Structures are given as C-alpha cells and as structure tokens.
C-alpha cells in the first residue's frame, strides 16, 4: 500500500477535528464519531483541548483506504498556535483545507491558503456545514476564487442545503473544464476540437491537483457525513503518495517533541529517505537551522558539530493508534525514543534542506508571575520544557530581577500556558500585561578591537569585530577576515557563539538582527607551564577569555554603528459599511494605522494598509462599535519598521551589561580568574 501524510487545516471552528472524526469513522478505525462539544474526539487528547473545544497540539492518527494508508495530522486552527501548523507543513504530501459554508473565507483561511500555494502542497478544499442554516455554495465558490486568488474546481453541487437532509451531488461540470483547460494545453486543444471524455478530464484533474496548480472543492457536513465519501475518493486518487527511497541514506526531520510518563523525550519525525531501526546510532542536529532560529550564512569553517543518539524504540501509526516496530522506512511518520537531546527542527541522519519559517515569529511578550507556593526554579524548568515543545515560544530569564518572560502570539496562548502549568506541573501563575517585542538593526557600520595584554584588556585574547547592516530578513551572518589557522579552532567557535548570544540584547535591550559580524583581528597566548608543574591558566588563553572579551568588543562596534529599534507592523484588511468610514478613519489614525488603498463594493468598503502590532488588539475591540457590528478585520504580521514617533522603547537587560564596562568587568573578569 502507498503512504500519504495528510494535513487537515482550517480557521478555528470550521470543523477540522469533526472532519477528522468522520474520516476515522468512515474508515472503520473508530466505532462512534467523537464530539468536540462533548470532549470525546480522538485527536484532542489534552485535557485543556477537551475543555476549550479547540485543537492546541497537532496530533497524528492513521487510517487505511483501499490502496493508501493515510497518516492524518489534525492541526490547530487558532492563530495563536500557528507555530504548530508551521512544523507540520514540512512533512505533508497533501492537505485538506476546511472552510465553513456559513462563515465562508476567514482570516486564517487566507493565511493558510497563501502558504499552501507558496509551498506547492497539493490541496483539496472541503466546504463543511452545508446542513447549517445560512450555508452557501455558489456564492462561497465565488468568494473562494476572489478572496483566495486560486483556481478551484467544483466537484459537484449541493442539494437541500441548509437542512439536516443536505447532501453532495458529485458532478464535473463546465466550470471544472474551464478551470482545468487554463492549466492544461492538451486539454484545451481537446476542448476546442470537440467533447472531452470524462476519463481525460479526470486525468487532467489528478495531474493539476498533484502539482498544486488547481484545488478540487467538495461540499459536505462532518456532522452528518454528507460529502465525506467523495472527499475520501479525492484523497485516495488525487493526492500524491509519499515519496522516498527506503534503501537510501537516512534523512528525517523532527516536527514535534513531547515527554512521556517518565519524563523521557519522544520525537515525532518524517522519514524522507532511508530506514530507521531500533538500536541504530544516528546523527542528531540541524546545524543551527530550526523553526524560528534560522542561522543564515555560515562562517567559512566546518559546520557545527552534530550529536549522536541511539534509538531505543520506534512506533508507527496504524488504524488509529501507534504500534511498536523494529524498523520503519521512507515515507513513514514515526515516534522515536532514546534521543535525549533532540529538539524540534532537528534532522536525523543526513540533514534535509534547511527548514524555513513560513509564518511570522511571535511579536508579543509577557512576564510570568509565580502564584503563592510556586517555586521559581520549578517554574523556570517547566517553562523550559514547554519551550522544547514549541521553539517559537522563547523563554527569557532575568536572574537579577528574578523574572521569567515568554514570547507568544496572543491572549489565548497565554491562557493555554497558564492552564498547562497548572494541569501538568501543579504550578499556579498569573501574567503581567502583554508588551510588544521589537528588534534592533544596525544603522551603519562600526568596528572595535581589543588586543591581548594591551591597554585595559584583562583577558588573554585579541578580538576585533566589525558590524555591518544586512538586508531585512537575512538574520545574522558571522564571517572571518583572519586566517582560520591563526589560533585554535575552539577560540573561533567561542567568539562566534558569544557573538550570536550577545546579539540577543542590543543597545536598547532588543534582539539585534539583519547584520553581518566580521572578525577582523585575532590573537591568543599559547599554552604555558612552569617547570615541573602543569598548565598555567594565568599565562595561557582559554575559551573563557574569548567568551569574556567578545561582548565588550561587539557592544563597542555596535555602539559605533548605532542601532535603530524597529516595531512589528501588521498588514490589515478591513471591510465595513461604507457609511461608517467617517468614524473609522480618525480612529485608525490615532492607532497609527496607515490605510493604503480604499475600494467600494456596493454598500461595503474595503480598507487595506498597515497597523502597529501593539494596536491590533485595540482595533479589534473597537471595530464592532464603530461599524454597527458589521466590520470584518484580518491582520497578519508583515514587516518591522523603525520607530519614528515618541520615545524609543527600552528593554531591561538580563546579562552582565557590557554597555557598562566597569560593571561588566567586576561581574565577569574577576570570576574568570578565581
């Protein structure tokens, strides 16, 4: 049998999890369809998911079709958990995008479809809830084409829409032929010559779908089962099977990490090529390339070392559960035990093409406040473990203020972190107000150098660094203008690692990015020893010298370059009654929003532009009152822009503050010589 790794994606409440239940029931994996409202679904296993009725963590479940074994991945729909969706995209062979026949295209629908199209992931569309009052079909199809800007092929029509008896009537009509002919010259020629046989039409449909050029649309109801058999037929015959050579070198990517009952790490991985077996020793690591932690242009040196792990157990997914196996081959999604240091984004075996972030990083931050009886160290450990499972949630610990901050996407995610800490760790916490995460970019170029045994340098090291601006989105590059053999490799590595760590806090305390740091000078004191005695630390350079000196040199270079604080901006699309425009525009101006285009469609107007991320929540709250409850707002992170109004925000430092040389040396240099 072929394998197919299938993702189910949608805006929240469109019916993803209900559709997953219906697919499992139709395949005979479960005897009864679970209910989201009743908290009895198969894939929502977390207690919080069952209570809230939303998917928080992606879940894998398998079911067989006639010729295909499907590994189905149910993903979250709420935008606060977009990081979960991001990690799944890299392991998919195909996807089903669920759209509500009542609500139609929603904000998250547009974000997901744009990403699926950009990655050329073959995608079917399932229009759910045709049994609900207010369900649409023709108007919804037109809305799909207009708002998602993609070619859709209707696979039939609805009957008795809006009633419990609603059903899907399959039929490839003229609209399907018109869409397919636009993407298939051979089909167009056959169409112009006369009637096109249905077999030829279906062959063109399969080719166009598998290449991600067109998207078949099915109508149905996950609750009643209408349209689900036709969707299953499309999954089996229109989506491509998993590819990969099981006899090739092992190459797999880790997209999820969880902890078992004993606290052991369990990695979920997609095997791209090769075969993985119990007791195999495999290289683990990603050479710095992880979702949310991209490591751009490497230095001209050997790549970072990769750990090696020994596999102690493997599970594959089969008929609704996971089953232990001794070996698993290419195409499979597996659960792997024994890789203690594994992290999300790691490669097992031969690294694949570096994972690139498909969605925006978190732009919000909040301080976690321990409640009565909550131990701070236990809290820090728990938050660190949560960050292992979601690397886009950054944990930042300030030892001096005894505070821990987490970065996140929104208020719902904050509630989930709070409930998870209470349910799984027994820790009660609250949060301070949410603040916006800014970044710093160099304003120009700056250079600094400190020489070994000269001036006021207390470290046995020479380090020279130049900071230059780089294009937006390029991250941080580290380069060498000195000979790699001019000193031990470990010292170069200490400088680079410290540079990357120190750039986490710039002149204003924000993370510095989009820059190139070049090492211009290097030098060290060779290993010294006294007669009949061992190594003399006071006369010989160590890695500590380079790790201690680098922040001072880097900060001085950055000070000379200058840095600009940038805030995150969201692109917005706002639709509202045209007669409310007079009330909307002044409010948008006060919130710092900049409308760029205005279009009128009958009684409605559509504004598009940018708004500071810090003001999105307020705009969302004020919109109903300004538009008689008829306004629709879609926002998504777009870019960072320099802050040009008001006071530049500062972020409290958590390091030893190399901006203050005296304070830094008291804290660092003295300890190193103890």
């Amino acid at each position: 049998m072929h394998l197919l790794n299938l993702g189910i994606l949608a805006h929240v409440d469109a019916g993803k999890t209900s559709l997953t239940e219906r697919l499992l029931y139709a395949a005979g994996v479960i005897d009864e369809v679970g209910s989201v409202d009743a908290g009895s679904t198969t894939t929502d296993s977390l207690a919080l998911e069952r209570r809230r009725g939303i998917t928080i963590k992606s879940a894998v479940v398998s079911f067989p079709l006639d010729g295909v074994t499907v590994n189905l991945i149910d993903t979250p729909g709420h935008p606060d958990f977009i990081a979960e969706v991001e990690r799944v995209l890299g392991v998919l062979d195909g996807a089903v995008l669920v759209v509500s026949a009542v609500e139609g295209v929603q904000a998250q629908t547009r974000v997901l479809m744009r990403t699926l199209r950009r990655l050329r992931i073959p995608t079917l569309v399932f229009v759910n809830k045709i049994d609900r009052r207010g369900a649409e079909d023709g108007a919804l199809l037109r809305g799909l084409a207009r708002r998602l800007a993609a070619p859709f092929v209707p696979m039939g029509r609805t009957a008795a829409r809006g009633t419990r008896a609603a059903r899907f009537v399959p039929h490839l009509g003229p609209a399907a032929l018109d869409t397919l002919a636009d993407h298939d010259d051979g089909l167009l020629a056959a169409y112009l010559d006369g009637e096109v046989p249905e077999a030829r039409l279906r062959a063109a449909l399969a080719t166009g779908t598998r290449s991600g050029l067109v998207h078949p649309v099915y109508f149905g109801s996950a609750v009643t089962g209408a349209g689900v058999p036709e969707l299953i037929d499309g999954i089996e015959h229109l989506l491509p099977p998993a590819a990969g050579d099981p006899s090739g070198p092992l190459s797999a990517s880790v997209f999820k990490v969880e902890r078992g009952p004993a606290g052991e790490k369990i990695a979920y991985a997609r095997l791209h090529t090769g075969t993985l077996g119990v007791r195999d020793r495999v290289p683990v690591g990603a050479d710095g390339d992880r979702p949310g932690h991209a490591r751009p242009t490497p230095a001209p040196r050997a790549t970072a070392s990769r750990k090696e792990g020994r596999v102690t157990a493997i599970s594959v997914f089969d008929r609704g559960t996971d089953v232990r196996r001794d070996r698993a081959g290419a195409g499979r999604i597996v659960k792997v035990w024994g890789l203690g240091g594994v992290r999300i984004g790691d490669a097992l075996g031969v690294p694949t093409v570096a994972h690139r972030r498909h969605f925006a990083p978190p732009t919000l931050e909040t301080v976690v406040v321990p409640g009565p009886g909550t131990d701070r160290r236990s809290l820090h450990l728990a938050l660190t473990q949560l960050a292992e499972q979601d690397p886009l949630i950054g944990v930042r610990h300030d030892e001096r203020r005894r505070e821990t901050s987490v970065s996140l996407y929104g208020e719902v995610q904050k509630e989930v972190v709070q409930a998870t800490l209470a349910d799984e760790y027994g820790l009660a916490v609250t949060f301070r107000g949410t603040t916006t995460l800014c970044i710093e970019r160099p304003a120009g170029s700056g250079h600094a150098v400190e020489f070994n045994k000269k001036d006021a340098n207390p470290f046995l090291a020479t380090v020279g660094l130049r900071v230059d601006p780089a294009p937006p989105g390029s991250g941080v590059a580290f380069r060498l203008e000195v000979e790699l053999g001019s000193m031990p490799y470990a010292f170069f590595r200490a400088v680079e690692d410290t540079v990357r760590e120190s750039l986490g806090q710039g002149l204003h305390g924000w993370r510095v990015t989009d820059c190139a740091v070049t090492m211009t000078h290097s030098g060290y004191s060779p290993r010294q020893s006294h007669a009949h005695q061992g190594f003399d630390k006071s006369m010989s350079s160590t890695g500590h010298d380079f790790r201690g000196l680098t922040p001072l040199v880097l900060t001085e270079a950055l000070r000379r370059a200058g840095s600009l604080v940038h805030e995150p901006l969201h692109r917005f699309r706002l639709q509202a009654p045209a007669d409310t425009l007079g009330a909307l525009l002044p409010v948008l101006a006060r919130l710092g929003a900049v409308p760029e285009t205005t279009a009128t469609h009958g009684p409605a107007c559509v504004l598009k532009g940018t708004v500071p991320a810090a003001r999105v929540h307020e705009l969302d709250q004020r919109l109903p009152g300004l538009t008689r409850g008829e306004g629709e707002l879609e926002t998504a992170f777009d870019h960072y822009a320099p802050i040009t109004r008001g006071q530049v925000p500062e972020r409290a430092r958590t390091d030893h503050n190399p901006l203050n040389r005296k304070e830094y040396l008291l804290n660092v240099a003295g300890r190193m010589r103890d």
Side-chain angles (χ1 to χ4, degrees):
M1 287 181 89
H2 294 304
L3 286 168
L4 170 65
N5 296 304
L6 177 72
I8 304 288
L9 300 93
H11 186 97
V12 66
D13 290 335
K16 288 181 300 70
T17 302
S18 297
L19 179 59
T20 298
E21 290 292 307
R22 180 59 65 173
L23 290 171
L24 296 177
Y25 177 75
V29 172
I30 57 178
D31 297 326
E32 183 179 351
V33 177
S35 166
V36 173
D37 293 336
S40 57
T41 56
T42 304
T43 52
D44 284 345
S45 57
L46 298 178
L48 183 59
E49 290 177 314
R50 296 180 185 275
R51 288 201 305 269
R52 293 290 301 263
I54 60 173
T55 301
I56 296 169
K57 294 292 184 182
S58 57
V60 183
V61 64
S62 180
F63 63 89
L65 300 178
D66 287 343
V68 182
T69 295
V70 178
N71 286 325
L72 189 149
I73 308 175
D74 183 19
T75 62
H78 198 285
D80 280 13
F81 309 108
I82 197 66
E84 283 288 317
V85 180
E86 172 176 3
R87 294 192 285 273
V88 167
L89 292 176
V91 307
L92 296 182
D93 303 305
V96 174
L97 180 65
V98 184
V99 180
S100 169
V102 179
E103 288 82 11
V105 174
Q106 296 170 278
Q108 191 76 342
T109 316
R110 290 163 58 88
V111 172
L112 292 169
M113 192 65 199
R114 282 198 300 265
T115 307
L116 290 166
R117 292 274 296 168
R118 185 169 68 249
L119 300 177
R120 300 293 289 270
I121 295 175
T123 302
L124 311 180
V125 176
F126 184 74
V127 179
N128 191 25
K129 304 182 183 180
I130 65 168
D131 56 322
R132 298 280 188 90
R133 181 180 299 177
E136 297 284 354
D137 54 4
L140 190 139
L141 274 172
R142 292 189 293 274
L144 284 175
R146 184 182 73 253
R147 299 186 66 183
L148 300 184
F152 296 98
V153 178
M155 300 299 292
R157 59 181 178 81
T158 64
R161 186 178 71 253
T163 72
R164 188 72 177 179
R167 66 187 189 278
F168 178 62
V169 182
H171 175 62
L172 279 177
L177 181 57
D178 290 344
T179 301
L180 291 169
D182 287 341
H183 297 85
D184 187 323
D185 292 340
L187 184 65
L188 178 61
Y191 178 38
L192 295 175
D193 289 342
E195 188 174 339
V196 177
E198 184 169 345
R200 177 71 178 84
L201 191 63
R202 290 194 174 276
L205 176 64
T207 300
T209 303
R210 289 173 180 170
S211 59
L213 296 175
V214 299
H215 308 287
V217 180
Y218 299 84
F219 289 83
S221 168
V223 172
T224 67
V228 173
E230 291 78 13
L231 175 64
I232 289 175
D233 183 75
I235 291 171
E236 185 173 357
H237 295 104
L238 298 180
L239 296 179
D245 180 7
S247 62
L250 175 67
S251 178
S253 53
V254 176
F255 67 94
K256 178 177 178 178
V257 173
E258 64 183 19
R259 288 188 178 267
E264 75 279 16
K265 278 190 178 181
I266 305 170
Y268 288 67
R270 160 72 187 266
L271 301 180
H272 300 290
T273 61
T275 300
L276 183 67
V278 176
R279 292 183 293 278
D280 284 356
R281 298 196 70 87
V282 297
V284 179
D287 295 332
D289 292 311
R290 289 191 174 86
H293 298 276
R295 185 177 190 167
T297 315
R301 59 166 177 79
T303 56
S305 60
R306 304 179 72 216
K307 305 178 291 291
E308 193 175 75
R310 183 174 181 272
V311 177
T312 58
I314 296 173
S315 282
V316 300
F317 294 90
D318 185 42
R319 298 189 66 84
T321 187
D322 55 292
V323 182
R324 291 295 177 99
R325 291 283 189 270
D326 289 333
R327 303 188 72 75
R332 283 280 190 184
I333 288 179
V334 295
K335 293 171 68 174
V336 185
W337 284 258
L339 309 179
V342 70
R343 296 173 60 192
I344 291 172
D346 276 346
L348 308 183
V350 179
T352 56
V353 176
H355 181 103
R356 296 185 64 189
R357 177 184 293 153
H358 309 304
F359 298 102
T363 56
L364 302 174
E365 185 177 54
T366 184
V367 174
V368 185
V369 181
T374 295
D375 179 67
R376 291 180 180 273
R377 274 186 272 186
S378 299
L379 175 59
H380 182 64
L381 176 62
L383 288 170
T384 302
Q385 290 187 359
L386 290 182
E388 287 176 353
Q389 300 170 33
D390 191 345
L392 290 186
I393 294 181
V395 176
R396 185 173 185 261
H397 187 61
D398 186 337
E399 188 64 43
R400 289 185 296 176
R401 295 174 181 82
R402 302 184 70 195
E403 292 179 351
T404 301
S405 305
V406 294
S407 56
L408 34 76
Y409 284 92
E411 296 301 313
V412 173
Q413 193 177 20
K414 185 192 291 186
E415 295 173 26
V416 168
V417 170
Q418 184 180 41
T420 303
L421 289 171
D423 293 348
E424 298 185 14
Y425 298 91
L427 301 173
V429 301
T430 57
F431 298 95
R432 290 192 194 152
T434 302
T435 58
T436 303
L437 277 173
C438 298
I439 63 169
E440 292 183 47
R441 288 175 172 150
S445 297
H447 178 258
V449 60
E450 296 213 19
F451 294 96
N452 186 5
K453 300 178 181 178
K454 287 188 178 180
D455 301 324
N457 178 10
F459 303 101
L460 295 178
T462 293
V463 174
L465 296 171
R466 185 177 68 249
V467 176
D468 298 300
S474 60
V476 175
F478 182 80
R479 301 173 181 142
L480 297 180
E481 280 185 0
V482 294
E483 291 293 331
L484 190 59
S486 61
M487 66 180 185
Y489 167 74
F491 295 163
F492 285 110
R493 183 63 187 277
V495 172
E496 179 180 357
D497 289 347
T498 307
V499 163
R500 294 186 182 278
E501 180 182 352
S502 299
L503 288 176
Q505 301 181 77
L507 302 181
H508 300 276
W510 304 102
R511 177 175 63 91
V512 182
T513 187
D514 301 333
C515 63
V517 179
T518 305
M519 190 170 184
T520 59
H521 296 75
S522 65
Y524 74 109
S525 295
R527 188 179 181 90
Q528 304 275 341
S529 60
H530 294 293
H532 310 297
Q533 294 183 12
F535 166 57
D536 188 346
K537 178 180 175 181
S538 66
M539 300 173 62
S540 312
S541 297
T542 68
H544 292 291
D545 289 294
F546 288 90
R547 284 189 286 272
L549 180 60
T550 296
L552 286 173
V553 177
L554 178 65
T555 300
E556 182 58 31
L558 188 60
R559 199 198 309 259
R560 294 174 182 178
S563 73
L564 294 175
V565 176
H566 292 59
E567 67 177 338
L569 292 186
H570 281 219
R571 183 154 296 279
F572 72 84
R573 179 186 186 275
L574 195 161
Q575 181 171 321
D579 62 357
T580 65
L581 199 58
L584 272 172
L585 290 176
V587 173
L588 290 174
R590 283 197 296 273
L591 295 179
V594 180
E596 296 170 355
T597 63
T598 305
T600 302
H601 304 286
C605 68
V606 176
L607 301 176
K608 295 181 180 179
T610 58
V611 59
R615 313 308 291 272
V616 168
H617 184 61
E618 183 179 350
L619 176 58
D620 197 33
Q621 287 185 316
R622 298 196 61 180
L623 188 62
L626 295 168
T627 62
R628 301 189 298 273
E630 298 179 41
E632 295 180 11
L633 177 66
E634 299 174 13
T635 67
F637 171 82
D638 191 68
H639 67 284
Y640 288 94
I643 294 177
T644 56
R645 63 190 187 285
Q647 188 174 358
V648 175
E650 301 282 333
R651 191 187 196 198
R653 302 190 70 93
T654 61
D655 59 6
H656 292 299
N657 192 13
L659 289 168
N660 185 326
R661 185 183 181 92
K662 182 177 180 180
E663 176 187 328
Y664 179 84
L665 291 177
L666 284 173
N667 281 296
V668 178
R671 291 185 185 181
M672 291 172 52
R673 294 302 169 193
D674 288 344

